[in-house]
Amino acid sequence: MTATAQTLVEIRDAIAAGEITSTNICSEYLERIAAVDGSLNAFNNVTHEQALERAAAVDRSRTAGDPRPLLGVPIAIKDNLCTRGVPTTASSRILENFVPPYDATAVSRLEAAGAIVLGKTNCDEFGMGSSNENSAFGPVKNPWNLTRSPGGSSGGSAAAVSARLVPGALGSDTGGSIRQPAALCGVVGLKPTYGRVSRYGLLAFASSLDQVGPLTLTVRDAALLLEVIAGPDPRDATTAPQQVPRYTENLDADLRGVRLGVPSALLDSGIDPEISQAFSAAVEVFQSTGATVSDITLPHAQYAIPVYYLLATAEASSNLARYDGVRYTHRAELDPTSTTLRAMYDQTRSEGFGEEVKRRIMLGTYALSAGYYDAYYLKAQQVRTLILRDYEQAFDSVDAVIMPTSPVPAFTLGEKIKDPLQMYLLDIFTVSANLAGLPAISVPAGFTQERLPVGVQLVGRAFDEGGLLKIARAYERNNGWWKETPNI
Ligand code: GLN
């Protein structure tokens, strides 16, 4: 890749200084995608021509001092975010031929800032999964080891950034889908506070949990993308009115006086020893940069997995009811003179949805059904409140909670897919931030002996993305993990 410019900020500055053109840099990335993505499968669709046309338009019209913060910079978008005129599938057969007539707000804000979309990234179907194996278009491979999973569900975005197929990407995170693949691929992933980023044009999975956020090589780049996509949107009533701070300013703070909390009891069981080691090393680095680290408790976090898998599936069963073969693309081919509408629905949905999506629709429908509602859905909502209270209490004495992002490094493709429960358990450290609506970031924290990336996660107070980014940046400055590049 371009020796001098790898990060979004570097590329932006090089284009602004006239050292490279947007056409040069976009072509370079597109060539690399063409050369490498055959073995990674990170992209569902590469918007080659459209990208080069737009890059050329930027190069023609660019004037000195153009203030657009991403002018000419290439970027990729998870395939569950709508892109006008470009297929948007959520990696599902049921949306295989869906071409949205509008852009998601996060996408249109990136483009208004001058970014050039190079393509749509592969993911687990409708964001449901932790390994990318639930994609109708085949799994993504981890660039650090092609027999391993990149994590999920935003595995394509994470793999693409890690392999330098694109300098930054958008993902979505309902229970860890930005942070976990970021950790497994060795990049930065940020899930903003619920309401911070518009979800207009995001194909909904679980509407009380979904957030859109960036995957990048560096913390500064994550700050830059967040700055561009965040903020209120009249098209999404759940966006918060809060002003968006300039996250990229004063990012290089020192950590003296910053208090971090480790939920030790939660970290006691089931963690890979190499993850524990990397985590302890990270804690020492945080201390050496001036932060104080203390023990905290999140007594209800142990219930986060069942609570999440009840609420997320309940919401999904409702959200996915719209895919009925009437309005959107796939429809089962049946003889209309002899079939009922009901049979058309049934056949369309059996053909169009994958196994995991069907499992969740059934689980969620069950949890919501009369007679079970109180025992499952209502109970889960109550425990969700307790999980949020745990965090609020912790934030009385600390500024951020720190824990591993994933209990294991990248696992072998095929290893966990036959056992959904095992797969769900991987989300133990990520789902609580979604349940509590809090911002959380995963940053690279080194490698295992087998040279698989490890991530460390920080969870912050609502709307304190700025604080999280500063803490993450201070850590990043003390190591060069992000500069390590997979050999692909
Ligand atoms: N792995 C979690 C799930 O399968 C999280 C997915 C996500 O954040 N979209 O539900």
Side-chain angles (χ1 to χ4, degrees):
M1 222 5 61
T2 310
T4 48
Q6 290 205 51
T7 68
L8 293 170
V9 169
E10 287 166 354
I11 292 168
R12 188 261 320 263
D13 291 348
I15 293 173
E19 290 160 12
I20 46 170
T21 64
S22 176
T23 304
N24 291 152
I25 195 82
C26 289
S27 310
E28 203 178 321
Y29 278 103
L30 287 166
E31 277 161 29
R32 192 161 157 78
I33 293 171
V36 173
D37 201 43
S39 43
L40 285 183
N41 200 29
F43 282 86
N44 283 348
N45 185 9
V46 179
T47 47
H48 195 276
E49 267 170 44
Q50 175 183 300
L52 289 181
E53 271 166 33
R54 292 184 180 180
V58 162
D59 290 331
R60 271 197 309 275
S61 68
R62 192 179 66 81
T63 52
D66 191 317
R68 283 176 286 174
L70 290 168
L71 192 62
V73 176
I75 199 119
I77 307 290
K78 186 177 181 179
D79 206 16
N80 63 353
L81 282 155
C82 287
T83 40
R84 182 156 54 116
V86 175
T88 298
T89 69
S91 291
S92 181
R93 288 274 168 231
I94 212 157
L95 286 176
E96 201 167 0
N97 304 305
F98 175 53
V99 181
Y102 64 100
D103 281 318
T105 295
V107 174
S108 56
R109 286 189 180 171
L110 287 177
E111 290 186 332
I116 311 284
V117 173
L118 298 193
K120 305 296 294 288
T121 53
N122 199 348
C123 56
D124 285 297
E125 187 177 2
F126 286 104
M128 297 178 190
S130 310
S131 71
N132 237 279
E133 292 165 288
N134 297 328
S135 166
F137 309 124
V140 178
K141 316 282 172 53
N142 191 310
W144 292 95
N145 180 332
L146 298 177
T147 68
R148 305 280 172 148
S149 163
S153 64
S154 314
S157 289
V161 173
S162 162
R164 275 65 171 173
L165 302 191
V166 76
L170 288 188
S172 67
D173 191 312
T174 307
S177 277
I178 290 175
R179 292 159 286 155
Q180 184 255 19
L184 269 48
C185 290
V187 301
V188 175
L190 170 67
K191 182 201 88 76
T193 310
Y194 187 77
R196 181 85 279 189
V197 176
S198 169
R199 293 171 303 134
Y200 177 74
L202 171 70
L203 303 178
F205 162 11
S207 305
S208 79
L209 302 158
D210 298 339
Q211 264 294 289
V212 176
L215 293 103
T216 55
L217 290 173
T218 65
V219 173
R220 185 173 301 282
D221 282 358
L224 176 60
L225 288 188
L226 183 64
E227 208 166 278
V228 170
I229 63 174
D233 176 11
R235 290 182 160 131
D236 175 359
T238 65
T239 49
Q242 269 90 335
Q243 278 296 308
V244 181
R246 301 290 303 237
Y247 298 117
T248 48
E249 280 171 18
N250 308 316
L251 204 51
D252 287 313
D254 88 64
L255 292 192
R256 261 172 303 177
V258 170
R259 300 160 307 166
L260 301 177
V262 178
S264 313
L266 190 64
L267 310 187
D268 269 354
S269 58
I271 300 189
D272 183 287
E274 287 195 272
I275 299 280
S276 294
Q277 258 171 34
F279 179 70
S280 306
V283 167
E284 278 174 32
V285 171
F286 280 108
Q287 280 168 323
S288 75
T289 58
T292 57
V293 179
S294 59
D295 243 30
I296 54 139
T297 56
L298 299 172
H300 301 89
Q302 56 176 311
Y303 306 115
I305 297 271
V307 168
Y308 170 83
Y309 278 94
L310 283 166
L311 297 179
T313 57
E315 294 183 27
S317 73
S318 165
N319 272 326
L320 270 56
R322 72 190 71 172
Y323 305 107
D324 56 8
V326 175
R327 294 185 206 77
Y328 303 99
T329 68
H330 180 76
R331 179 184 298 177
E333 277 176 41
L334 297 167
D335 178 1
T337 56
S338 60
T339 5
T340 61
L341 178 64
R342 177 62 198 262
M344 190 281 283
Y345 289 162
D346 288 353
Q347 191 62 26
T348 294
R349 288 164 69 82
S350 347
E351 291 171 5
F353 289 136
E355 202 179 315
E356 180 63 21
V357 172
K358 288 177 191 161
R359 179 180 296 119
R360 295 198 188 196
I361 292 172
M362 289 190 276
L363 197 61
T365 306
Y366 184 82
L368 286 173
S369 56
Y372 292 106
Y373 181 92
D374 287 356
Y376 295 119
Y377 185 78
L378 185 67
K379 185 62 77 186
Q381 289 287 28
Q382 288 164 337
V383 182
R384 178 179 190 171
T385 303
L386 297 177
I387 290 170
L388 171 59
R389 282 201 198 136
D390 285 352
Y391 272 109
E392 281 171 352
Q393 219 154 49
F395 291 135
D396 283 344
S397 59
V398 299
D399 301 304
V401 173
I402 168 174
M403 54 190 160
T405 310
S406 163
V408 295
F411 44 94
T412 305
L413 287 162
E415 183 188 316
K416 298 189 193 283
I417 193 71
K418 292 275 165 284
D419 184 348
L421 193 59
Q422 240 203 76
M423 192 75 90
Y424 297 171
L425 291 173
L426 298 178
D427 302 337
I428 177 69
F429 301 131
T430 48
V431 292
S432 60
N434 301 75
L435 291 168
L438 302 171
I441 189 168
S442 177
V443 276
F447 293 86
T448 66
Q449 299 258 314
E450 281 184 85
R451 221 171 144 63
L452 296 169
V454 178
V456 63
Q457 180 185 210
L458 295 152
V459 183
R461 295 190 180 91
F463 299 101
D464 190 26
E465 286 86 355
L468 284 188
L469 287 160
K470 281 181 189 146
I471 301 170
R473 170 68 192 137
Y475 175 65
E476 178 188 69
R477 241 183 318 157
N478 271 272
N479 64 64
W481 300 126
W482 76 267
K483 291 185 185 130
E484 307 274 327
T485 310
N487 205 346
I488 175 156

